[in-house]
Amino acid sequence: MEPLLDFYQSNPAAIQAVMGLEKALGRSTLEKPLTELVRLRASQINGCAYCVDLHTADARKGGEDDRRLATVSVWHETPFFTDRERAALAWTEAVTLVAETRVPDDVWQAVRAQFSDAELVDLTLLVSTINTWNRLAISFRKLPA
């Protein structure tokens, strides 16, 4: 498979807009390990090889455990994640698949119990932003390095 388009070079202004979201998210109170789990899970759902590779590596660099990384896709069935992480992962799945899920009330109730209002906005922007990156990378065939 060959990359189709370098979206960074093709429209730098658009990419800078997405990077602005990333900078804002970098200032959020969400824990860095949690943000990498969210990015990884959304990327797995979307089938983005580039982003799965990138966020697995970033999570490892941040000290994430290999066992947890290996089981993010089956987090429902493991004891390795905290209630806060479980709520974030469920939210990630529901928001990533919003056309199918319509974000169920039980998912909202679980995430609401774990995150403040500001964190909920940041978490939702995080999910939305990684979905944007996934769609760019998949559409234009960005390959893992």
Side-chain angles (χ1 to χ4, degrees):
M1 180 170 33
E2 293 291 322
L4 300 176
L5 181 92
D6 182 337
F7 50 88
Y8 287 90
Q9 288 184 353
S10 298
N11 193 336
I15 298 307
Q16 283 304 313
V18 182
M19 293 303 293
L21 285 171
E22 291 288 355
K23 287 178 185 170
L25 290 167
R27 293 186 299 270
S28 84
T29 60
L30 297 174
E31 310 89 87
K32 179 71 170 155
L34 176 72
T35 65
E36 291 305 331
L37 292 175
V38 165
R39 288 179 173 118
L40 177 57
R41 185 64 191 122
S43 299
Q44 289 171 335
I45 292 166
N46 290 322
C48 183
Y50 176 82
C51 294
V52 166
D53 181 64
L54 175 68
H55 296 296
T56 299
D58 286 350
R60 275 194 187 106
K61 287 177 195 168
E64 187 58 74
D65 179 79
D66 281 337
R67 191 173 192 194
R68 285 170 32 104
L69 288 174
T71 58
V72 169
S73 65
V74 291
W75 65 269
H76 294 273
E77 302 167 21
T78 70
F80 309 138
F81 301 94
T82 67
D83 289 343
R84 182 172 167 91
E85 290 167 336
R86 289 178 176 285
L89 291 167
W91 188 253
T92 299
E93 291 177 356
V95 172
T96 296
L97 300 169
V98 69
E100 297 171 29
T101 70
R102 309 305 302 163
V103 186
D105 289 340
D106 63 322
V107 173
W108 164 251
Q109 291 164 356
V111 79
R112 184 73 180 117
Q114 296 292 326
F115 293 87
S116 70
D117 289 354
E119 288 174 327
L120 284 166
V121 172
D122 288 342
L123 181 60
T124 306
L125 282 172
L126 176 64
V127 174
S128 300
T129 303
I130 189 57
N131 274 278
T132 297
W133 288 122
N134 290 165
R135 280 151 179 75
L136 287 165
I138 292 167
S139 298
F140 299 123
R141 313 288 192 268
K142 187 158 181 63
L143 301 176

